[in-house]
Amino acid sequence: KITTAYIFNVAVISGYLIWAIQGLRTPVTTVQVMTFVFVVIMGLVTQYAIRFMFATLNVILQNAGNVNFIWHQLYRMATRPDPFFPFYLRVVITTLLPMAFFASVPSRVLIDGADIRFVAAAVFIAAFLLWLSTRFWTYALKHYSSASS
């Protein structure tokens, strides 16, 4: 559900992003902007796939009230930029929580330039998790048992 508050938030964040890009020491190229947009889209696909898998748990489990709480806590941790964490924790977080990867990589693309390894990883992660979420949904539907039957 999209409300005017969300549209206002996107406008404010977009303005802040444009202002921050203009303040960078090196100019941002068109390739960097296009790569940024592409990686953000891959991040949205990844977020959808992970969220879908958490929602699918509600089909399998009879009492999955805490599943959304777990999702929210993982999501909050993953949205912190990875330089906040020590190196080894950073590796674990960006590997085990793909959302952390997508919280950091788009900004790196704008600051450091487009790295083909990050773009390839973004495509692989998004495609794999989308495939996995579809398989998990199919599994959940096959093993669904109604609470009333």
Side-chain angles (χ1 to χ4, degrees):
K1 173 172 143 176
I2 296 177
T3 64
T4 54
Y6 289 125
I7 295 170
F8 178 74
N9 287 345
V10 168
V12 169
I13 290 169
S14 298
Y16 180 71
L17 180 64
I18 292 168
W19 174 79
I21 288 172
Q22 291 174 348
L24 292 175
R25 293 183 188 145
T26 57
V28 176
T29 66
T30 305
V31 172
Q32 285 174 292
V33 172
M34 290 185 339
T35 306
F36 171 81
V37 170
F38 180 74
V39 172
V40 167
I41 291 169
M42 293 297 103
L44 291 173
V45 169
T46 299
Q47 181 178 357
Y48 165 79
I50 294 172
R51 183 70 177 120
F52 188 59
M53 285 189 279
F54 271 87
T56 301
L57 287 173
N58 289 310
V59 174
I60 297 173
L61 305 173
Q62 291 180 356
N63 187 6
N66 291 328
V67 170
N68 289 325
F69 177 75
I70 293 169
W71 158 255
H72 182 70
Q73 295 307 314
L74 290 174
Y75 180 77
R76 283 185 51 207
M77 182 178 181
T79 56
R80 307 290 188 261
D82 68 336
F84 284 173
F85 303 107
F87 176 74
Y88 293 110
L89 184 58
R90 183 182 324 159
V91 170
V92 169
I93 289 173
T94 56
T95 306
L96 296 179
L97 299 174
M99 293 309 301
F101 179 84
F102 289 104
S104 298
V105 170
S107 59
R108 285 186 186 180
V109 166
L110 288 177
I111 294 170
D112 299 333
D115 186 345
I116 193 68
R117 295 175 298 168
F118 287 141
V119 175
V123 170
F124 174 76
I125 291 169
F128 175 73
L129 288 176
L130 194 58
W131 172 82
L132 186 64
S133 68
T134 304
R135 298 283 305 213
F136 188 50
W137 174 252
T138 304
Y139 170 82
L141 289 181
K142 287 180 182 177
H143 293 86
Y144 172 73
S145 62
S146 173
S148 63
S149 59

